[in-house]
Amino acid sequence: SEFLTSFSEICIMVVFFALGLEENVAHVKAGIRKAWGSAWLGALVPYVTGCGCMHLFWPGTDPKVALMGGLAMTATGMSFTMASLSSEGFASSCRAKGVTTSAALDDIASLALAAVCVPIATGDAMPTP
């Protein structure tokens, strides 16, 4: 229903906002160079895997549907990762800071993929060879 959809979107925004309040921007800036490689891999590997699984398990799938299936696989569990690290008392460790930086950059890479894939899947744009 529309109520559940709206309610779930608001809850997700609240969780990310709360986690953002706990994060120090200086720590994120310090780890950006190290985290870009794993962030791009964290976005591209699930995307390619999702597209491949769509074609493997549903042969003859429209390539536009496979694009969206791959895009759905790029969603990360950054909020759950941070909640888990915080509950165990590891949120301020050096490795936890690297994980959160990588997860944040992974989300940025996923949004970049969405910016490319959604117009292609909806037919508003076509890739050029």
Side-chain angles (χ1 to χ4, degrees), residues 77-123:
M78 181 179 168
S79 58
F80 299 116
T81 303
M82 279 308 298
S84 299
L85 290 171
S86 294
S87 70
E88 296 298 322
F90 296 125
S92 62
S93 71
C94 184
R95 290 188 180 172
K97 292 172 189 170
V99 167
T100 55
T101 301
S102 181
L105 294 174
D106 173 75
D107 289 342
I108 293 169
S110 297
L111 288 173
L113 283 171
V116 172
C117 292
V118 170
I120 293 171
T122 59

Side-chain angles (χ1 to χ4, degrees), residues 38-79:
S38 61
W40 274 107
L41 282 176
L44 289 176
V45 169
Y47 177 76
V48 170
T49 303
C51 287
C53 286
M54 291 289 289
H55 287 296
L56 179 68
F57 294 116
W58 293 281
T61 300
D62 183 13
K64 293 179 181 179
V65 174
L67 284 175
M68 294 307 290
L71 191 58
M73 294 295 292
T74 64
T76 63
M78 181 179 168
S79 58

Side-chain angles (χ1 to χ4, degrees), residues 10-48:
I10 289 170
C11 289
I12 289 171
M13 285 186 262
V14 168
V15 167
F16 274 109
F17 181 74
L19 289 172
L21 289 176
E22 295 177 11
E23 189 58 40
N24 186 345
V25 176
H27 296 294
V28 174
K29 285 182 179 179
I32 284 179
R33 288 188 187 181
K34 294 182 204 174
W36 264 116
S38 61
W40 274 107
L41 282 176
L44 289 176
V45 169
Y47 177 76
V48 170

